[in-house]
Amino acid sequence: MIDIVLPRKKAANNKQNRRDEATKPHMQPYEGLPIDVSLQQALERIKGELGESADLIIRELAIGEANPIPAAVIYIQGLIDDLRMNDHILAPLQLAVLTPPSLHADQTVEELKKELIHVGNIENIAYWKEAYQSLLIGSVLLFVEGLGQVIAAGVIGGPKRDVTEPSTNLVIRGPREGFTESIRTNTSLIRRKIRSPKLWLEQLTLGEITQTPIGIMYIQGLADESIVQEVRTRLKAISIDGVLESGYIEELISDQKYTPFPTIHHNERPDVIAAGLLEGRVAILVDGTPFVLLVPAVLNVFFQAAEDYYQRYDIASFLRMLRFVSFLIALTLPSIYVAIIGYHQEMIPTPLLLKLAAQREGVPLPAFVEAFLMEVVFEVLREAVVRMPSAVGNTISIVGGLVIGQSVVEAGFVSPAVVIIVSLTAISSFVSPAYNLAIAARLLRFLLLIAAASLGFFGVALIVLFLILHLSSLKSFGIPYLKPFAPFFWQDLKDTFMRVPLWRMHERPQVLGHRNPVRESTDPDESQGRNKSR
Amino acid sequence: MTQNQQMMNGSITTGQMGKLHIMFTLGSAALILPTMVTVIAKQDSWITMIMAVGLNFMFLYAPLELAKRFPGQSLVSYTQQILGRAAGMVYTVLYLFFFLVLTAAVFRNMGDFVGTSVLPETPRWFIHIAFMLIVMYGVALGIEVMGRSSEILFVWVFLVFGAVFALLTNKMQVSNLLPVLADGWIPTIKGLYPITGFPLAEYVYVMMLFSCVRSEDLGKLKRAMWMSSVVIGISGLSIALLLLLVLGADLTLRSPFAVYDMAKEIQIGEVLERVEITVAMIWISTVFTKAMICFYVLCLTTAQLLRFSTYRPLILPLAFIIVPLSLVIYRNTAHTNLFAFAIWPVFGCVLGLLMPMLLLAAAVFRKQGTPSGKGMKDTQQPEQERGGTSSEANSEQRVTAPEQRNGSERKESMSTVQVEKS
């Protein structure tokens, strides 16, 4: 029977998916192949398929005393929890007394599941494809002679990083836990924040070779169903060899491919993701990375830090505005300097102008070249420090800060003003809570610099107009990127430049346009009144 | 979405239409118009500005009525419906040239200002081309993006304008307004003359843009346009008043870009002085919106006239016409003034006021279109319930649930919240 199924399947594949076959050399030959009835055949096959890999453990045994049935336990060393397997799978199997030993396959399976395997997560598998998948996720497979099925018991184990404080998105006040590389840990961290049955998790596998588990998490009833559907569609459309980080997914499912601005939010903190879910967003979890994606993400989201909601609203609002200002500084300060020095000296008050002129005396380079070079040097330093071991990193910061910063000025190659401008820009760019937005500013800074050098403020204005147009054209899962500002929503402005007190945020942001606008109210009477009045 | 709107790459809300209109009007007018009016009306130019508000309504009347009669249709399609195919084509071609000249003139205004005040040593063609590149980008992105960006720019323009107003309070001299109506009412009424050509006659562009407004919003269109006319009137009045109070009539009429020169007066201690470049940047952003709209309307008219399925292939060729045209359209500043004073009001009023009125009369006479705008009535209601700007963006969502369902769901959510709390 096997011999009949296999060629037919292959022939069909050849006809229909010739293109697929060409692009996928990794076409699995076991597609749709049922599990062998004979134990020996099955073992031979699995050994052959895995190339007798050293970490593939096959433990043959016999179940029952009177009339022992040959069986084999198969697992991959390191993917499973050895202790649990010994105690709950191997020991009961070996000690089992099957009375009477029923030879009918289905009954045996039921018997084994009911009595002998003391593990919660069990499934029957009839095909090799699923068997391989579950073996490689970390299941223990039990093959029994004459069954034609496999019992997979999930005892996922092996090395796993503990929940620790995330290294990005640090807070002074707020929960200290961060996501880990294990998707199951991550979903549990979110579930511990939102104990609602309406928190739904859909799982799928992406990556032709890596078979990475991907989770889609949302709160049913809050998340816009059309957005959830869009997430599903886009994820399912992905065809890629491997998904090693959520960045792969991010790049493949964003609306616009050619933009420096991120249209998908990512975060390492369960509380941020939970807050996003409560606003009706959709989280995408990828196994193997602590960075969870959150869609849709409008520009405003990238200025919100977790801590904004844990601190008093007044200081939070102040910090929020500070971030917007810092972003603008990081984006435009060098270009404004170049424009003023090159074209609009009249803007500088006379005493300051004299100082600047005195500094620039003897500097051989034009302001634009000065600023451009210093920006490049700074970017080089920054990149160097990121990759270096921390011990060397300190040396680089000394070399960069002291040697270059100071001596370049003393040597008279650049004016001190430029060093000040570049360092201010650098510090401002670190203020942004979202690293990926700060990178956008980093790139666009150079564009603005060139515009300022060639057309002064007119050039800066043109590039700013270009950016406004570009930002207006962006969308994140169908939501305009500038949503609370354009299209303008008065209601939603309360969580943009300002963070109004929580008791004033009765309503969920309309940015996502969901059908369930009222968030909560501290005063029940008031909320009822609101309901009536609507 | 009508077929028309598909070609235009989306649709805009009435709020966005209103903001586009305000930006369009303030576009080149804010900087140049006050001088022209002050030349005639002297220190009473602010009275002229008040009177101009009424004219706003007059110039918008015919396009609005036509939009109501032919919802979702543009100038090109309804002229052909009213006047017949051939006459409609001829009629549209006239507008084609009007928009062409208008776009070039806007470019030239921008180039004159930037070339004389901001970058005197940069070649004009370079300024025009740089500006054109960004305008082309905006036009290629379509009306929806233009509408959204206008909302952002609108806020900035009014913030800076308010700031300039506040910073100049210490320089105001009420005596500059005196004597009021020294020569009677005649100069103030004469002062309306340049306004009719520029910017009022240019309002005819709305005959193309009204077809981009979302069909469910059309009922609110009239209100939004009236509102924006009032905003335009108030800003025109405050600009005129500010100029007179700060600079006085004499200086205002001598300065080609009076608002820019006025901003030079800003001086708060020794900290804040010579910030006129920020005013220039703001003005560039309004004139940019205007140039973008004009160019877009030009592309759209051409594409619809030639029955293209998209206007995009026309952007580059038309840009190649506009940039050289804008460089030669006026010989010098004197020529600009002559054109603005003597030619444009007549040219503009024929195309911007007379012909739309005649077209409307023809439509009424030949009983074309839906006179009461019956098709819009049912769409009008849900907006009244929600009111304000929130409904605009709400319905921009792909999913908008009926209002009635909200009530029950909200209660559900309330109860779950309470459960979570307990």
Side-chain angles (χ1 to χ4, degrees):
Chain A
M1 189 186 162
I2 295 162
D3 293 319
I4 300 162
V5 170
L6 190 61
R8 201 192 56 194
K9 273 268 171 188
K10 274 209 148 180
N13 276 339
N14 277 339
K15 268 180 204 163
Q16 289 168 2
N17 305 331
R18 196 175 288 268
R19 197 178 54 88
D20 279 2
E21 194 121 12
T23 52
K24 286 184 225 160
H26 186 72
M27 195 70 195
Q28 289 105 345
Y30 47 79
E31 198 84 39
L33 196 62
I35 303 282
D36 303 61
V37 179
S38 148
L39 178 65
Q40 279 316 312
Q41 259 180 23
L43 292 184
E44 285 309 315
R45 193 181 288 280
I46 198 166
K47 272 187 205 160
E49 188 62 43
L50 274 103
E52 304 202 25
S53 295
D55 55 353
L56 175 73
I57 308 292
I58 302 179
R59 171 81 159 80
E60 291 185 62
L61 48 91
I63 308 172
E65 282 182 334
N67 193 0
I69 311 167
V73 168
I74 299 181
Y75 60 92
I76 305 264
Q77 204 171 24
L79 287 187
I80 58 141
D81 186 345
D82 280 333
L83 210 62
R84 271 168 71 206
M85 187 204 58
N86 285 339
D87 289 358
H88 303 298
I89 299 173
L90 271 185
L93 283 175
Q94 286 178 319
L95 299 175
V97 183
L98 287 180
T99 49
S102 52
L103 282 172
H104 193 271
D106 290 342
Q107 285 172 338
T108 316
V109 172
E110 288 311 309
E111 182 88 353
L112 287 170
K113 276 165 73 174
K114 249 189 242 164
E115 306 285 339
L116 294 175
I117 300 180
H118 306 168
V119 174
N121 180 8
I122 280 187
E123 56 178 334
N124 294 351
I125 292 174
Y127 290 93
W128 277 109
K129 187 178 177 232
E130 284 88 48
Y132 288 130
Q133 266 175 13
S134 91
L135 174 71
L136 293 165
I137 287 170
S139 293
V140 173
L141 301 184
L142 177 63
F143 284 81
V144 179
E145 171 73 39
L147 250 187
Q149 281 189 51
V150 171
I151 302 166
V155 281
I156 299 173
K160 194 160 72 170
R161 194 163 65 91
D162 286 337
V163 175
T164 51
E165 188 170 3
S167 55
T168 61
N169 312 107
L170 293 173
V171 291
I172 296 170
R173 176 172 178 182
R176 297 274 179 239
E177 62 193 3
F179 287 123
T180 69
E181 280 74 11
S182 149
I183 188 171
R184 200 45 70 230
T185 314
N186 296 350
T187 54
S188 71
L189 285 173
I190 297 174
R191 275 221 190 270
R192 276 178 212 165
K193 301 251 175 231
I194 305 172
R195 295 179 185 86
S196 161
K198 289 291 178 196
L199 177 64
W200 287 9
L201 171 67
E202 289 171 22
Q203 197 150 333
L204 62 151
T205 317
L206 282 184
E208 304 291 330
I209 299 173
T210 56
Q211 298 289 323
T212 314
I214 309 282
I216 308 172
M217 224 174 188
Y218 57 93
I219 298 183
Q220 206 269 331
L222 283 190
D224 191 334
E225 186 50 47
S226 64
I227 291 177
V228 179
Q229 187 51 46
E230 187 65 30
V231 171
R232 275 184 215 125
T233 323
R234 290 193 193 176
L235 284 178
K236 279 177 187 152
I238 292 177
S239 168
I240 187 174
D241 274 352
V243 178
L244 300 180
E245 217 274 339
S246 48
Y248 287 50
I249 304 282
E250 185 176 335
E251 204 165 317
L252 289 168
I253 66 171
S254 6
D255 294 52
Q256 262 88 359
K257 309 288 180 206
Y258 303 108
T259 171
F261 292 96
T263 52
I264 292 177
H265 192 42
H266 66 71
N267 210 292
E268 251 189 297
R269 304 179 55 85
D271 50 332
V272 172
I273 300 298
L277 291 171
L278 287 171
E279 285 179 352
R281 297 178 205 278
V282 182
I284 302 168
L285 300 96
V286 177
D287 193 45
T289 175
F291 290 97
V292 173
L293 305 179
L294 206 55
V295 294
V298 292
L299 182 66
N300 183 33
V301 169
F302 296 95
F303 291 98
Q304 298 170 339
E307 224 171 350
D308 290 353
Y309 305 92
Y310 309 146
Q311 285 171 332
R312 286 180 50 81
Y313 62 89
D314 41 12
I315 186 73
S317 301
F318 170 69
L319 294 176
R320 192 64 77 67
M321 278 186 265
L322 206 63
R323 271 181 227 132
F324 277 95
V325 173
S326 314
F327 179 72
L328 288 182
I329 291 177
L331 195 62
T332 56
L333 189 64
S335 48
I336 287 176
Y337 173 77
V338 168
I340 288 180
I341 293 290
Y343 293 88
H344 313 282
Q345 293 93 342
E346 77 277 0
M347 277 187 76
I348 315 170
T350 321
L352 183 57
L353 183 63
L354 289 177
K355 262 263 189 305
L356 279 178
Q359 282 179 5
R360 288 195 45 77
E361 186 82 15
V363 172
L365 306 168
F368 164 67
V369 179
E370 250 184 299
F372 196 89
L373 283 182
M374 285 310 283
E375 284 292 341
V376 170
V377 166
F378 167 69
E379 292 298 337
V380 169
L381 274 178
R382 186 155 141 172
E383 189 57 19
V385 173
V386 171
R387 307 270 166 266
M388 281 289 142
S390 53
V392 191
N394 288 334
T395 325
I396 289 186
S397 51
I398 291 169
V399 171
L402 285 179
V403 180
I404 296 182
Q406 204 175 343
S407 54
V408 100
V409 171
E410 277 175 8
F413 292 148
V414 298
S415 62
V418 169
V419 178
I420 296 171
I421 295 284
V422 170
S423 10
L424 266 180
T425 314
I427 293 167
S428 304
S429 73
F430 289 125
V431 170
S432 173
Y435 183 63
N436 43 2
L437 190 69
I439 300 175
R442 220 162 127 180
L443 279 178
L444 295 170
R445 191 188 301 152
F446 288 100
L447 187 64
L448 277 161
L449 209 50
I450 293 167
S454 45
L455 283 171
F457 267 126
F458 180 62
V460 175
L462 285 185
I463 297 294
V464 168
L465 286 170
F466 166 74
L467 286 181
I468 288 176
L469 280 173
H470 179 66
L471 284 170
S472 307
S473 74
L474 291 181
K475 282 189 173 182
S476 176
F477 284 80
I479 308 286
Y481 197 49
L482 294 175
K483 189 76 184 259
F485 312 116
F488 186 74
F489 270 99
W490 178 250
Q491 272 296 310
D492 279 10
L493 285 188
K494 61 197 172 186
D495 197 14
T496 52
F497 297 117
M498 309 275 287
R499 201 279 281 168
V500 302
L502 287 176
W503 68 82
R504 296 292 300 277
M505 287 203 247
H506 301 294
E507 290 170 8
R508 298 193 175 87
Q510 287 177 323
V511 166
L512 304 165
H514 39 62
R515 305 152 291 168
N516 201 352
V518 174
R519 199 193 306 248
E520 60 111 7
S521 168
T522 43
D523 180 6
D525 290 339
E526 195 192 330
S527 76
Q528 275 165 17
R530 294 177 73 87
N531 275 341
K532 269 178 213 157
S533 68
R534 288 211 155 207
Chain B
M1 209 183 265
T2 58
Q3 197 189 348
N4 206 357
Q5 286 175 349
Q6 274 171 5
M7 172 186 190
M8 291 179 286
N9 202 24
S11 54
I12 53 176
T13 63
T14 45
Q16 286 170 344
M17 182 65 228
K19 282 165 187 165
L20 279 172
H21 185 60
I22 294 171
M23 299 288 282
F24 180 91
T25 313
L26 293 183
S28 35
L31 205 59
I32 302 162
L33 186 69
T35 313
M36 305 202 310
V37 178
T38 315
V39 168
I40 300 171
K42 300 289 180 325
Q43 71 277 10
D44 293 328
S45 64
W46 60 279
I47 300 175
T48 310
M49 287 299 185
I50 296 177
M51 292 197 277
V53 180
L55 287 181
N56 262 308
F57 299 114
M58 197 169 91
F59 275 83
L60 281 174
Y61 177 75
L64 274 170
E65 284 299 310
L66 284 165
K68 209 164 121 190
R69 283 178 166 265
F70 303 95
Q73 288 189 42
S74 72
L75 176 76
V76 182
S77 63
Y78 58 65
T79 44
Q80 294 189 9
Q81 204 175 324
I82 297 170
L83 303 174
R85 183 103 192 265
M89 287 274 224
V90 173
Y91 187 94
T92 317
V93 168
L94 289 178
Y95 279 98
L96 206 61
F97 283 105
F98 180 76
F99 291 138
L100 186 67
V101 173
L102 177 59
T103 315
V106 172
F107 265 76
R108 179 55 181 256
N109 284 338
M110 182 279 310
D112 275 346
F113 170 69
V114 174
T116 51
S117 300
V118 185
L119 298 169
E121 285 164 44
T122 311
R124 287 290 165 85
W125 61 266
F126 189 69
I127 295 171
H128 283 234
I129 287 174
F131 197 68
M132 184 44 118
L133 286 177
I134 312 290
V135 168
M136 280 164 70
Y137 180 66
V139 172
L141 288 174
I143 189 68
E144 226 173 85
V145 174
M146 282 159 59
R148 282 202 288 268
S149 61
S150 77
E151 283 185 281
I152 302 283
L153 293 173
F154 177 79
V155 175
W156 279 107
V157 167
F158 276 81
L159 276 181
V160 171
F161 185 66
V164 167
F165 201 98
L167 291 173
L168 280 169
T169 40
N170 60 344
K171 300 267 176 181
M172 290 182 189
Q173 282 175 318
V174 184
S175 59
N176 282 348
L177 293 183
L178 299 173
V180 179
L181 294 176
D183 300 323
W185 288 92
I186 303 301
T188 57
I189 293 170
K190 278 186 180 170
L192 287 175
Y193 181 67
I195 303 182
T196 54
F198 171 73
L200 292 182
E202 295 165 5
Y203 283 7
V204 72
Y205 83 96
V206 295
M207 289 168 86
M208 290 304 292
L209 275 204
F210 279 165
S211 58
C212 310
V213 176
R214 273 209 329 255
S215 48
E216 60 263 38
D217 266 16
L218 272 176
K220 287 197 302 176
L221 183 62
K222 200 166 191 170
R223 212 188 72 199
M225 293 311 285
W226 282 174
M227 282 285 288
S228 58
S229 295
V230 170
V231 174
I232 289 164
I234 293 172
S235 11
L237 173 65
S238 42
I239 290 174
L241 266 179
L242 199 60
L243 282 170
L244 290 173
L245 286 169
V246 176
L247 291 180
D250 202 39
L251 272 177
T252 305
L253 64 90
R254 275 164 224 279
S255 141
F257 308 110
V259 175
Y260 181 71
D261 289 333
M262 177 181 71
K264 288 181 182 168
E265 296 288 318
I266 294 177
Q267 190 182 18
I268 305 289
E270 292 207 332
V271 192
L272 211 60
E273 47 185 8
R274 304 295 308 262
V275 288
E276 70 272 9
I277 194 71
T278 51
V279 172
M281 283 173 83
I282 287 304
W283 186 76
I284 286 167
S285 71
T286 57
V287 83
F288 170 75
T289 313
K290 181 169 182 175
M292 204 161 64
I293 295 170
C294 292
F295 192 31
Y296 178 74
V297 165
L298 175 64
C299 289
L300 208 60
T301 318
T302 319
Q304 288 185 359
L305 199 64
L306 300 176
R307 298 180 183 279
F308 279 24
S309 60
T310 166
Y311 65 88
R312 294 225 167 74
L314 293 168
I315 293 175
L316 194 64
L318 283 174
F320 271 102
I321 299 175
I322 286 167
V323 171
L325 183 61
S326 67
L327 289 168
V328 297
I329 190 165
Y330 308 131
R331 256 164 293 170
N332 48 40
T333 319
H335 189 203
T336 312
N337 284 338
L338 179 72
F339 188 79
F341 266 114
I343 298 162
W344 193 247
V346 181
F347 181 42
C349 278
V350 170
L351 282 155
L353 185 66
L354 201 61
M355 285 177 60
M357 286 289 191
L358 288 177
L359 192 65
L360 179 62
V364 174
F365 184 66
R366 302 182 76 173
K367 295 194 172 59
Q368 295 282 347
T370 48
S372 58
K374 270 175 194 166
M376 293 169 234
K377 274 205 169 165
D378 45 350
T379 52
Q380 222 167 325
Q381 261 171 342
E383 271 131 29
Q384 284 168 352
E385 282 174 26
R386 287 171 180 167
T389 43
S390 65
S391 66
E392 294 169 19
N394 225 355
S395 33
E396 191 158 306
Q397 286 307 312
R398 280 161 293 155
V399 176
T400 39
E403 284 285 304
Q404 290 79 9
R405 274 171 59 198
N406 279 0
S408 59
E409 283 182 11
R410 195 173 302 136
K411 272 171 204 157
E412 271 175 37
S413 83
M414 281 307 298
S415 58
T416 52
V417 166
Q418 278 157 11
V419 168
E420 278 172 31
K421 272 187 178 172
S422 58

